[in-house]
Amino acid sequence: MKAARISAPKTWEIMDVDTPAIQDGQCLIKLERWSVCGSDIRHGYGDVYPEEEYPMRVGCPCHECAGTIVESRSDQFREGQRVIVLPGVDGNGGLVEYMASTPDRMVALPDEGSLDEWIMCQPSGTVLYSCQQMDTILGKRVLIFGQGSIGLSFTAITARSGARQVIAVDLEDYRLEYSKKFGATHTINPTKENLDEAIAEITGGRGAEISVEAAGYPDTLNNVFKHVSKFGRCIIFGLIGGTEDMTPLHFRQFFGNTPTIVPTAGASSGDAVGHIERMVELKERGWWDPGEMVTHRMTFDDVKPAYDMYENRDDEVVKVVMSM
């Protein structure tokens, strides 16, 4: 089968490897769609690692993938069924043509509709899990740092969940335009206006009852703590640090606001797929379609241009989906 991996810094290798054999209780999925995530860039493709880290594992870094079951030895899924699948069972990443998996890492998809759109339920589902940790959203001010696909998902979900204000912050104007389409009541580009003054004006100097880190940088983490209201709630989603283990913290401003801090990671919640299943259900009934975030479509062989585009934010990319 065809597979890709990082063989050296910024270098992809596309190769042929053995198709996995499945065991009882497993399914073999022929993958048909793959999407690039910010964490793939920040914690795999973007950084330069020690020489001994290369080549990386087959299929890495990629964890957003969907396809069709071609062999089933599970009574929970049938051959011909379309699924989102989370890598990990066989140790490989997602950039492979065939993947063996178990039902606890698979999400059934409807037969209708494009996989280009359904695959977006994976990242948006992880955000749905984080929003469930916010307690009550109704009538609250929500401040979201970062408006990539994760931040935009926070914007769309909280806006539809009854937030009083949804304040989106990003350095790219085109992403802030998407924020408005997805339900943001206010947008801020810190390169063009004073962040502290803008948030104070929007919130009446109170800050936001819910402050979300969806970008993955030390500065945005500290701004989440700085601009949360007194005794508010901080939702931490972005993976911060890259190859570094420590992140600086402005302790006094964090301590002064005494927020409740909730790190959220749906994949390690004990139920890796439940929140994705809920997102599929919400999309199916028309509540919100995260497929609206797909801006570019490329092929599996275009893996390097796809990752470069995402890393450099070329051509106003939000989400790029690859097909075989």
Side-chain angles (χ1 to χ4, degrees), residues 58-322:
V58 171
C60 290
C62 176
H63 60 274
E64 296 178 5
C65 37
T68 302
I69 298 171
V70 294
E71 183 182 354
S72 176
R73 296 177 66 177
S74 164
D75 57 6
Q76 297 182 45
F77 287 89
R78 56 176 170 79
E79 293 175 7
Q81 194 168 13
R82 303 196 302 177
V83 294
I84 289 172
V85 56
L86 304 180
V89 170
D90 58 8
N92 291 335
L95 283 167
V96 293
E97 189 174 1
Y98 290 91
M99 181 181 295
S101 189
T102 50
D104 61 328
R105 301 188 68 78
M106 298 163 58
V107 177
L109 295 174
D111 294 331
E112 300 78 23
S114 171
L115 280 179
D116 291 4
E117 298 176 357
W118 286 114
I119 193 175
M120 291 298 106
C121 290
Q122 193 280 332
S124 295
T126 63
V127 173
L128 183 66
Y129 170 80
S130 295
C131 290
Q132 290 171 327
Q133 315 312 309
M134 289 180 178
D135 201 5
T136 300
I137 299 173
L138 281 169
K140 300 284 185 67
R141 295 181 175 89
V142 180
L143 172 62
I144 305 160
F145 287 92
Q147 289 294 289
S149 59
I150 295 301
L152 287 171
S153 296
F154 272 109
T155 294
I157 292 171
T158 57
R160 285 156 180 77
S161 299
R164 176 184 180 185
Q165 293 179 329
V166 179
I167 307 161
V169 182
D170 200 274
L171 305 179
E172 302 284 351
D173 283 337
Y174 81 88
R175 292 187 171 184
L176 294 175
E177 288 302 312
Y178 275 94
S179 305
K180 295 175 185 176
K181 296 176 185 177
F182 287 4
T185 59
H186 301 79
T187 60
I188 303 171
N189 184 332
T191 67
K192 297 184 175 181
E193 56 186 314
N194 184 284
L195 178 67
D196 296 353
E197 293 176 358
I199 293 174
E201 181 178 355
I202 293 167
T203 65
R206 301 178 183 87
E209 289 96 336
I210 302 170
S211 187
V212 179
E213 204 301 305
Y217 296 96
D219 285 349
T220 50
L221 177 67
N222 280 291
N223 274 321
V224 161
F225 297 146
K226 182 178 183 179
H227 294 290
V228 68
S229 64
K230 189 79 170 179
F231 306 119
R233 203 169 187 89
C234 295
I235 301 296
I236 312 301
F237 187 103
L239 297 174
I240 298 167
T243 57
E244 301 295 327
D245 292 328
M246 303 295 291
T247 297
L249 174 68
H250 293 295
F251 180 78
R252 288 189 179 276
Q253 66 185 24
F254 147 72
F255 192 76
N257 284 335
T258 57
T260 297
I261 301 171
V262 187
T264 61
S268 58
S269 65
D271 178 8
V273 297
H275 45 279
I276 304 172
E277 292 172 344
R278 301 295 87 75
M279 194 69 245
V280 169
E281 293 167 2
L282 290 171
K283 170 177 159 49
E284 192 171 19
R285 80 177 200 218
W287 188 74
W288 177 54
D289 180 7
E292 295 174 349
M293 297 189 295
V294 178
T295 54
H296 293 75
R297 292 168 173 83
M298 304 177 79
T299 70
F300 189 93
D301 291 337
D302 290 326
V303 59
K304 179 172 172 54
Y307 275 65
D308 286 342
M309 170 184 284
Y310 198 98
E311 180 179 27
N312 300 324
R313 301 179 184 179
D314 292 336
D315 197 30
E316 298 191 351
V317 64
V318 175
K319 267 295 192 180
V320 54
V321 174
M322 294 172 285

